[in-house]
Amino acid sequence: MTKLNKLKWVVAIAAAFFVGTTFASKVSAATINNDYALSSNQGSSLRTSNNVIIAHATAVYAPAKNVAIYENREWSNTTAYVQYVVGDGGKIYRVGAEGYQAWGAGSWANANAPVQIELAQTYDQAEFRKDYVTYVNLLHSSAIKYGIPTTVDSSAWRGVKSHLWVTNNVWGDHTDPYGYLASHGITKAQFAHDVKYGFSSSGNNVNPTPTPTPKPAKPTNKKAVHVTYALHQKGKQWLNPVKDFGSGSNGFAGVPNSVHDMIYIKVNRGSIKYRVHTKEDGWLPWVHKADKNDTVNGVAGIKGHTIDGVQMYYTTPSGETYQQAYYRSQTTQRANYLGTCADNGTVAGYDNFAGMLGEPLDRLQIHINDSSKY
């Protein structure tokens, strides 16, 4: 087949790419805009093997029409173009010829993909929804037309593949389209489901994911938990204990711009364990009691040794609403509190301990709850 005849054939089948498939009864025909299609003497003349359909995202927030114009104009300079660009509210722009190699994802993918599809990026959620339905249906129907499985990113070497799959399994450094899809709330699992089954002409899932029957909510049994704690000022004495936290000088344990060497912590229900890190000793053993008169088992720290880190873990009594310790600290060398810590690791970046190793801890705040109150 000459390339000119090939292009005429592609235009004919692309204009009604849903016809002749098992999906045809479920979707309306899509209109293909051929204004920016490469001419008969442009693009690759190499045929593809029909093993994969490649899903891309453009990585730029620009109209799909502009992307198609750019690929049409610069294909030989950038050596980059695909068969279709989807966007602008569900429109499809053709650039390369189906069944002939495009230059979109490296030599292996280009040689094995009769169709590669770019999804243009938009911040508009309503526009994205139209684009997404068209994109998914074009991926789905293209796979069916070429006898390719509609499964997404499986371990098999045939199917619909993201550019990320090509990177992970063949070559490259691209990760699209998942970052963009995630920005609009589409997970990898949702994308795989949608491509496998496609959407109806109304934009609804043909085979929607079953919604699990919600389990009856258990009644809450949240109890007020109060935490009392105090720091010992190095070379001086125990400071007055603090209950929970607040504002002003009574809202934290410690003395600003001072060094501390021991601490005790206790709660009115449940249990708490705690330990400290000192500049001289590193992390010391966990302490389960709170007795300032028992400097061996009732407090964390060693008299005369500088505390620069604190770690704790609260255990909720059985049958009660889960709660945890939220705590934060300052150091003598920094203004303002460091990040909040949560004892179960739910606050990104500050879950290991409160403090900054090497910098004396000068004040500490703690409270027990089911969410942070700082």
Side-chain angles (χ1 to χ4, degrees), residues 1-15 32 34 36-47 72 75 81-84 94-101 146:
M1 181 185 296
T2 66
K3 193 165 186 187
L4 179 60
N5 289 335
K6 168 200 70 180
L7 290 173
K8 291 180 180 178
W9 171 76
V10 169
V11 170
I13 63 170
I32 308 295
N34 294 295
Y36 314 107
L38 297 179
S39 62
S40 59
N41 62 344
Q42 295 176 311
S44 174
S45 60
L46 297 175
R47 293 300 301 259
N72 173 279
W75 69 272
Y81 69 94
V82 296
Q83 279 84 5
Y84 295 112
R94 185 172 70 82
V95 179
E98 280 194 25
Y100 286 77
Q101 292 188 23
Y146 287 98

Side-chain angles (χ1 to χ4, degrees), residues 27-330:
V27 297
S28 59
T31 300
I32 308 295
N33 183 313
N34 294 295
D35 292 346
Y36 314 107
L38 297 179
S39 62
S40 59
N41 62 344
Q42 295 176 311
S44 174
S45 60
L46 297 175
R47 293 300 301 259
T48 64
S49 298
N50 301 333
N51 291 313
V52 294
I53 305 295
I54 305 295
H56 298 273
T58 60
V60 294
Y61 284 86
K65 179 179 177 180
N66 291 10
V67 175
I69 291 172
Y70 179 81
E71 290 191 2
N72 173 279
R73 185 183 70 236
E74 301 294 332
W75 69 272
S76 63
N77 295 322
T78 62
T79 61
Y81 69 94
V82 296
Q83 279 84 5
Y84 295 112
V85 183
V86 174
D88 301 345
K91 296 179 181 178
I92 303 173
Y93 301 90
R94 185 172 70 82
V95 179
E98 280 194 25
Y100 286 77
Q101 292 188 23
W103 299 334
S107 58
W108 180 88
N110 296 340
N112 284 277
V115 176
Q116 299 191 49
I117 305 168
E118 290 274 12
L119 176 60
Q121 299 187 181
T122 177
Y123 293 107
D124 186 275
Q125 185 64 27
E127 182 176 323
F128 167 78
R129 178 61 186 176
K130 295 177 182 178
D131 295 344
Y132 180 68
V133 169
T134 300
Y135 177 63
V136 164
N137 281 348
L138 184 54
L139 290 166
H140 176 97
S141 63
S142 297
I144 290 176
K145 179 164 63 179
Y146 287 98
I148 296 171
T150 58
T151 51
V152 176
D153 287 356
S154 71
S155 59
W157 287 82
R158 301 191 75 243
V160 178
K161 305 297 183 184
S162 67
H163 202 162
L164 174 62
W165 186 95
V166 176
T167 294
N168 289 339
N169 292 274
V170 185
W171 170 90
D173 59 3
H174 290 237
T175 60
D176 52 301
Y178 291 120
Y180 173 60
L181 294 180
S183 74
H184 284 282
I186 302 297
T187 65
K188 290 182 180 180
Q190 183 66 55
F191 179 58
H193 173 275
D194 294 341
V195 171
K196 182 176 182 179
Y197 297 106
F199 291 96
S200 70
S201 58
S202 65
N204 295 321
N205 288 91
V206 172
N207 184 16
T209 304
T211 301
T213 303
K215 296 180 180 180
K218 294 182 179 180
T220 59
N221 185 27
K222 182 180 177 181
K223 305 294 184 181
V225 181
H226 299 292
V227 56
T228 302
Y229 51 106
L231 280 165
H232 184 275
Q233 195 172 7
K234 184 177 178 180
K236 295 187 179 180
Q237 60 188 4
W238 281 101
L239 302 169
N240 291 331
V242 176
K243 184 178 180 181
D244 302 325
F245 80 101
S247 59
S249 60
N250 293 322
F252 57 85
V255 175
N257 303 311
S258 295
V259 178
H260 303 87
D261 53 8
M262 293 184 288
I263 185 174
Y264 70 82
I265 307 172
K266 61 183 177 180
V267 290
N268 68 321
R269 64 184 307 108
S271 63
I272 193 165
K273 66 177 183 178
Y274 57 100
R275 64 176 181 169
V276 299
H277 184 283
T278 71
K279 294 176 67 174
E280 297 82 359
D281 312 291
W283 285 107
L284 297 174
W286 289 100
V287 176
H288 299 266
K289 295 171 56 179
D291 182 355
K292 67 180 182 180
N293 297 314
D294 181 356
T295 58
V296 176
N297 299 307
V299 303
I302 297 174
K303 192 171 184 178
H305 292 198
T306 300
I307 293 174
D308 57 1
V310 178
Q311 192 175 37
M312 64 194 74
Y313 191 90
Y314 174 75
T315 300
T316 306
S318 177
E320 294 184 11
T321 300
Y322 176 74
Q323 299 186 79
Q324 60 181 313
Y326 291 92
Y327 56 108
R328 62 182 186 174
S329 68
Q330 284 191 218

